[in-house]
Amino acid sequence: MLTAPERRSRPVEGLSEADAALELEALAAEIARHDRAYYQDAAPLISDAEYDALFRRNALIEQRFPALMRSDSPSRRVGAPPAPAFAKVRHAQPMLSLNNAFSEAELVEFVAGVRRFLAKEVSAEADDALEIMAEPKIDGLSVSLRYEHGRLVRGATRGDGTTGEDVSANLQTIADIPKTLPDALEVIEVRGEVYMTIADFEALNARQQAQGAKVFANPRNAAAGSLRQLDPAVTAARPLRFFAYAWGEVSAEIAATHAAFLEALDRFGFVVNPLRRLCRSVEEMLDYYRTMAERRRQLAYEIDGIVFKVNRLDWQDLLGFVSRAPRWAIAHKFPAERATTVLRAIRIQVGRTGVLTPVAELEPVAVAGVMVSRATLHNEDEIRRKDIREGDTVVIQRAGDVIPQVVAVVAEKRPPSAPPFAFPDTCPECGSRAERVADEAARRCTGGLICPAQAVERLKHFVSRDAFDIEGLGDKHIAAFWADGLLRQPADIFALPARIDEIRARDGWGDRSAERLMAAIEARRVIALERFIFALGIPQVGQATAKLLARRYRTLAAWRSAMEQAGEPTSQAYADLIAIEQIGPAVAADITGFFAEPHNREALDALAGAVTVEDAVVLPARPSAVAGKSVVFTGTLQTLKRKEAEAQAEALGAIVVQSVSKKTDLVIAGENAGSKAEKAKKLGLTVLSEEEWLQLTGAGAS
Ligand code: IVH
């Protein structure tokens, strides 16, 4: 049996059936991961060319071993399922993808195939009349706009092709998208590409950088990230544009050809790409492709190839679709632009979450008209797979992306003394151990609380609402206090009251604001165990996991000692930890990794000396009055925070729900309880005041 890297480097013809099955399994998982990174996170991990190569290898193996095709094969689906934040929209007509031609020969073959089909299915003369529309392939993200009776009623992303995300509110902010149509067709779905111009992308990145916000790798990611904002006001502030080029459901025939359809869209007020050209021969198609490949760098927006479409719509219908793509269209991608240069050094950057990212420092070189001196190396595995060493001559490429990538090493030019690159197992920022995370290619610094690269982000998390909830200590203050050495680790927050005079004297601070902050800090010296655990910011330990841990271990001392023992995978403590529902080996590894790091233990000691951590609420031994009852809290409570009240109710065995229905047993109405309390009264449910609730649950004063 071959090892995974051996399998990957073997040509498809050389794979045994068993190896092919393993390779298909690996490819399905890998491609799914890249789909998520691209579609959901708008942060691709590899270049389009590398992605295409994976996809193609998958297809070739399936071609050779059709019986091995998996139900989750990437060739059966388009893109990734929608991310959960937006409502889902099922497309009336699926949004499909295009097959790619990677060479002129493949384009010639596409045309020949269409001609053969038409000669057989239509007539021998059809062949002579074949016209093909050529259009730039816009490097953005496709969306579908649904108009009913001339009004824009919904807009959605492609998602997995069947179901996308409802981004109507965000699409409404794009000026290129008409909100009403002159022709009140019953239904028309117009599809096209949302994109950002290169100039707008660069200006956006400059603004983002100035604000310390996320910088986008390329205009496509910037467009995707901007469209998928939960707040449409953010999208409105981003300069997005739209080219229309296709349709989904239509209630009446609009045109007989694609060219006429595009003209109709133009009349309707859409922006249609003016660089399209109708071609009558394969020579004209190739000529257009070559001309555009030359011109692409002068365009205001990025294009990554040419899309060719059979012009007659009745012929498109005849040609139809094969699995995920139409037989009447093809995308001919441009080759990525490459150059060769010397890699001077590999530098390790540490991100906010502690991920170590290797960056290639290059001898500056021009690629596609831009000077490049750095390139991303992605991660440790990538360096090993490509055997990239300091001093190597490397091929780099800008594949439509602004951040160039190292494609390969020129082996003949390697200096004889260059040793393989040893990826550090300590963090270059703080010296803590850097660990590989199970199932991830990333190596992460475990110095969480003390690593300067991560510290500011972690401190922000520490004071956030669901953690220590310290009001008045905003992001800006944390960054400034950090920069001046006032704050290094969480425990330092509780030393701030002793330094109130220093703070009062700072720019932007006065007596009142300093005192308010001190009061907010003092108010949090006592904290529930689950909040404390959540506040530590251990990777994968969110509120729900923190709650489970708090309930299971009850006291900080017990939890801590168990987690330190659980570092030994054969221990009872480890077995107990992964026996907790929803805690598997990956989460356990993050928790024990946190405790294995001496810096974290020291930071925890310091913190434990500054605050009092309350033991977790113990579940009642006998059934409480509210056990099994479904309860709704509404309005403002006086003695408890809403979330605490809910947690307490859950601890007593009640089922907390958010909306009132006839099945609700109890509604607890605080001050200014609005529609929920009214509805409860109408339904004749029991509505309790906060005081009555406290008495019922035995927490009241009486
Ligand atoms: S036509 C059924 N035309 O390329 C075919 N697509 O790889 C519908 N794209 O999902 C697509 N420019 O996001 C078409 N002029 C163009 C395009 C274009 C960019 C994108 C689109 C599509 C992807 C396919």
Side-chain angles (χ1 to χ4, degrees), residues 78-141:
V78 186
F86 294 92
K88 290 180 185 176
V89 176
R90 213 182 150 79
H91 301 299
Q93 300 267 333
M95 287 182 80
L96 297 161
S97 188
L98 293 171
N99 283 325
N100 288 313
F102 290 95
S103 62
E104 297 197 344
E106 287 184 14
L107 187 64
V108 172
E109 178 44 38
F110 163 76
V111 177
V114 169
R115 287 187 188 285
R116 277 196 300 275
F117 182 93
L118 292 176
K120 196 161 129 245
E121 302 293 323
V122 183
S123 71
E125 293 78 52
D127 184 24
D128 299 332
L130 179 64
E131 288 179 326
I132 306 257
M133 179 62 86
E135 301 168 4
K137 185 169 185 300
I138 314 299
D139 204 4
L141 70 154

Side-chain angles (χ1 to χ4, degrees), residues 268-400:
F268 289 169
F270 289 96
V271 185
V272 181
N273 196 294
L275 300 173
R276 64 189 184 276
R277 190 204 289 173
L278 202 54
C279 302
R280 287 180 182 80
S281 67
V282 85
E283 290 72 30
E284 278 182 39
M285 291 163 66
L286 288 173
D287 176 63
Y288 179 80
Y289 174 82
R290 292 182 197 132
T291 310
M292 291 304 294
E294 294 279 312
R295 278 188 69 181
R296 64 189 285 217
R297 287 292 152 206
Q298 282 125 52
L299 296 181
Y301 47 88
E302 294 201 327
I303 63 174
D304 59 346
I306 302 299
V307 183
F308 295 102
K309 303 171 182 175
V310 169
N311 194 35
R312 271 181 66 161
L313 302 186
D314 55 342
W315 290 356
Q316 287 191 3
D317 285 345
L318 280 176
L319 282 153
F321 293 82
V322 192
S323 69
R324 61 195 278 276
R327 227 180 332 205
W328 45 263
I330 196 155
H332 190 186
K333 294 248 195 121
F334 295 132
E337 298 179 67
R338 297 183 170 196
T340 301
T341 188
V342 173
L343 186 155
R344 288 180 182 156
I346 296 176
R347 207 162 48 79
I348 307 290
Q349 283 181 339
V350 185
R352 288 173 175 175
T353 54
V355 171
L356 271 54
T357 307
V359 176
E361 306 275 4
L362 306 167
E363 210 68 73
V365 61
V367 193
V370 173
M371 287 307 282
V372 168
S373 55
R374 297 170 59 193
T376 167
L377 292 168
H378 300 296
N379 57 47
E380 182 174 5
D381 292 350
E382 183 83 357
I383 296 179
R384 191 174 314 129
R385 193 161 62 77
K386 294 180 177 159
D387 188 17
I388 299 166
R389 306 184 185 190
E390 293 181 325
D392 268 342
T393 295
V394 292
V395 179
I396 59 165
Q397 83 174 9
R398 290 181 67 215

Side-chain angles (χ1 to χ4, degrees), residues 547 551 619-620 623-633 645-657 665-666 668 693 696-697:
K547 190 187 253 186
R551 285 192 181 176
L619 287 172
S624 73
V626 296
K629 296 249 158 69
S630 88
V631 302
V632 173
F633 288 89
E646 290 178 352
Q648 214 174 64
E650 278 175 355
L652 291 168
I655 301 143
V656 175
V657 290
D665 294 308
L666 294 172
I668 297 93
W693 164 255
L696 179 67
T697 55

Side-chain angles (χ1 to χ4, degrees), residues 31-230:
I31 291 171
R33 187 160 65 85
H34 291 306
D35 282 343
R36 278 195 303 277
Y38 183 103
Y39 291 102
Q40 292 188 5
D41 308 335
L45 306 168
I46 54 174
S47 70
D48 286 1
E50 285 167 309
Y51 179 88
D52 289 341
L54 291 177
F55 209 97
R56 183 159 258 240
R57 182 166 171 80
N58 187 73
L60 285 173
I61 299 175
E62 284 174 348
Q63 216 171 52
R64 193 165 156 236
F65 300 102
L68 295 183
M69 166 149 351
R70 302 167 58 85
S71 60
D72 64 349
S73 166
S75 49
R76 288 186 195 258
R77 48 164 215 270
V78 186
F86 294 92
K88 290 180 185 176
V89 176
R90 213 182 150 79
H91 301 299
Q93 300 267 333
M95 287 182 80
L96 297 161
S97 188
L98 293 171
N99 283 325
N100 288 313
F102 290 95
S103 62
E104 297 197 344
E106 287 184 14
L107 187 64
V108 172
E109 178 44 38
F110 163 76
V111 177
V114 169
R115 287 187 188 285
R116 277 196 300 275
F117 182 93
L118 292 176
K120 196 161 129 245
E121 302 293 323
V122 183
S123 71
E125 293 78 52
D127 184 24
D128 299 332
L130 179 64
E131 288 179 326
I132 306 257
M133 179 62 86
E135 301 168 4
K137 185 169 185 300
I138 314 299
D139 204 4
L141 70 154
S142 50
V143 299
S144 185
L145 308 169
R146 186 176 176 90
Y147 294 83
E148 289 175 5
H149 306 289
R151 298 181 63 86
L152 175 59
V153 294
R154 194 163 51 244
T157 62
R158 181 169 71 173
D160 64 3
T162 310
T163 309
E165 292 173 329
D166 186 336
V167 286
S168 306
N170 295 344
L171 290 167
Q172 289 278 358
T173 70
I174 300 178
D176 285 349
I177 295 179
K179 313 301 175 294
T180 55
L181 302 183
D183 193 336
L185 272 174
E186 196 178 333
V187 176
I188 177 169
E189 285 181 355
V190 175
R191 292 172 176 180
E193 204 82 354
V194 169
Y195 69 100
M196 198 180 279
T197 66
I198 299 167
D200 284 339
F201 155 72
E202 284 169 355
L204 171 64
N205 261 359
R207 283 203 304 278
Q208 294 282 103
Q209 193 146 34
Q211 293 166 3
K214 175 178 168 174
V215 171
F216 297 100
N218 55 47
R220 180 188 58 215
N221 292 351
S226 301
L227 189 63
R228 295 179 68 267
Q229 288 289 331
L230 289 172

Side-chain angles (χ1 to χ4, degrees), residues 489-512:
Q489 53 167 327
D492 296 342
I493 292 171
F494 296 94
L496 290 176
R499 306 174 77 166
I500 185 167
D501 290 335
E502 247 173 283
I503 291 170
R504 205 180 265 140
R506 292 175 68 92
D507 265 0
W509 289 85
D511 289 350
R512 269 170 57 98

